[in-house]
Amino acid sequence: MAKKQLDEDLLTGGSLNTEKDKQAKKAEKLAKKKSKAKEKNEQKRSALKAEIDALKEAKADETDEKKLEKLDAKIKKLSDKYSAVGSTPAGKIPQKTAKVIKSVVCVVVIVALLVTYVATGAVRKGFIASLSIPAQYFTGLTVSNGENTAKIKVSTYNFYFATLYNSMLSQQSQYEQYGIDLADAGLDVDFDKKLSQQTYTDPDTEETMGWDEHMHDLVVDSIESTYTYYLAAVEANGGEDPEITDDQKTEINDTLDSYEETASGYGYTLSGYLVQAMGKGVTESVFRTETTRQYIAQNYQEELSSGTENTTYTEEDINAYKDEHLEDLQSVDIKIFECSSEDDAKAFSESLAADGSNFAELCTEYASSDFDKKAYADEGYSTELGMTRSALQSRGYAIATADAHEHEDGEEHSDDEELTYSGLDWLFSSDRQAGDIYQYSTSVVYVIAPASLSDRNTVNVRHILIAPETDEEDADVTTATDEQWTAAYDQARGLLASWDGTEDGFAALATENSTDTGSTENGGLYEDVVTGQMVNSFSTWCFDDSRKAGDTGIVRSEYGYHIMYFVGENDQKIWQYNAEQALLSEDSASAAEALEDEYTIKENWFGSRYFQKDVDIST
């Protein structure tokens, strides 16, 4: 197949021209499957786009900063859903938990993302079809701390460049959906033109360079960071590569299988296709090696961030942290509801009984979706127990947003800005009493217990998540019909009824039936659970004052029905656990910073002549 035709097929997803009937039938079947999935996805995207556009119109007419922040949060939430629709090709493995790690830390390829961009043809344009012996053997970069050294081949550089390239394409698409200006985001580049013919201005130094050089700098940073953690992991493992998880191995194998299927349709070997998609020298072996090393680096970085088994803190250490950070460790128990508008919040507040007895009733009245109207009928759905300032901020409540303020030098929330949070200051004031009611912007709050160092202990709990089966694959379960929710509830009750009464039996049921992929491998177990960590209904059940080991129950959340099993309460107070985690985070950050300072990267002049750091546009 001629290079020009292959480029066109890669970019447009054009029909395959093959003599093999078997391959043609397979391609036709796959095309129909993709077409059907695409049609469904387009319907979802159209509905979400309409909601996003409506919010953008409202934003254009709004001047109140708090309301603008609220609208931005809603737009981002819907945009996340919009971007996620169709992100995994039909027939391919679902994308697992997406951890986007910046190049300044440890860049890890989420291989399912590469399936999306490479398999659909959104790849680097115009790559020369050659395995390129220089790329496979010449050293382009060296990462070292003086004792541990990695010589980076040109092919590895090309792999990282292609990964970054596809990542930026994805970011551009997402930012456009968010309505974010690409120039402000530092992504005002046209990937259909030569990078060397476009300029990039560093916002910090105001230095101007070609986009090819900017991309080169980012790639070098990514390689240095990844290989820093990779080499440290190997050293910590006695000089041998640590094993990656079974899930990570499966992810790589499934991805390469999908590539091979696509490659065979074009009459290419897997390595030949990868070279077309990712650059000279990027063979199957290089792809497997580099993704494995990225996972090793990621795993080691996570190990550093969570500390080692030998990391312990004395009671004196924890109390010293408490004395210095008391405000951060105190928590409140509240009922809270986020209204769609400030007018609704005022009306809600005015109708709220002094004892808060009609809070759930008002939540149901002012809820904006059918799911919320039913969910808020349960008192636990609007109850937040043991919430710290940071936990409330992470939830995105208006009461936890910064007050209106001037931005320094045109930058939003710079490191030097002193932000105030009058809503949180009211809530955590020593003057607060149980029964206090407050309306702040779109938030309405009823105080159950004012700020204090909570006496609650961390808990261990198991659960089995039963998500309603919706008409469309990967649809938001909150859109499920009443019949689908009822079916899920009946399934949850049936599973609980079949349980043998032992913790091991519950764990087995979780492994076999739970749709929570994050906990199925360990029998649905979550250890050292703290308030504010889980969704409201889940957390409220766990921290009920009457809860005791062996208790079971079924609660509903926006993810489905949770069959609960209370393992037991631990000895450590939640505030002590939070203080210990904060100390661990500080120490881990220091360890990571020291490690990154220890390693340096150098460019080999001769090998670097073979880097592919531009895009060869066919004319």
Side-chain angles (χ1 to χ4, degrees), residues 601-616:
I601 190 167
K602 293 182 179 180
E603 188 169 312
N604 179 285
W605 181 89
F606 184 76
S608 66
R609 301 307 95 187
Y610 292 88
F611 288 162
Q612 287 187 264
K613 56 183 181 181
D614 204 341
V615 182
D616 301 319

Side-chain angles (χ1 to χ4, degrees), residues 65-66 69 401-406 413 419-423 425 440:
E65 185 164 351
K66 293 188 181 67
E69 288 182 0
T401 57
D403 297 334
H405 54 280
E406 295 292 333
H413 306 320
L419 302 181
T420 57
Y421 296 83
S422 57
D425 289 344
Y440 180 93

Side-chain angles (χ1 to χ4, degrees), residues 210-277:
W211 252 95
D212 58 329
E213 292 303 320
H214 175 54
M215 292 277 284
H216 171 72
D217 290 344
L218 293 177
V219 170
V220 171
D221 287 344
S222 298
I223 293 172
E224 179 182 13
S225 182
T226 299
Y227 270 84
T228 290
Y229 287 96
Y230 165 71
L231 289 171
V234 171
E235 181 181 22
N237 196 49
E240 301 291 333
D241 278 17
E243 285 290 318
I244 59 176
T245 68
D246 289 341
D247 279 348
Q248 289 167 343
K249 291 176 183 177
T250 299
E251 193 85 20
I252 294 172
N253 289 333
D254 287 352
T255 299
L256 286 172
D257 286 346
S258 70
Y259 284 3
E260 189 162 24
E261 181 180 346
T262 303
S264 65
Y266 286 103
Y268 273 78
T269 64
L270 174 57
S271 290
Y273 179 75
L274 287 172
V275 168
Q276 286 289 327

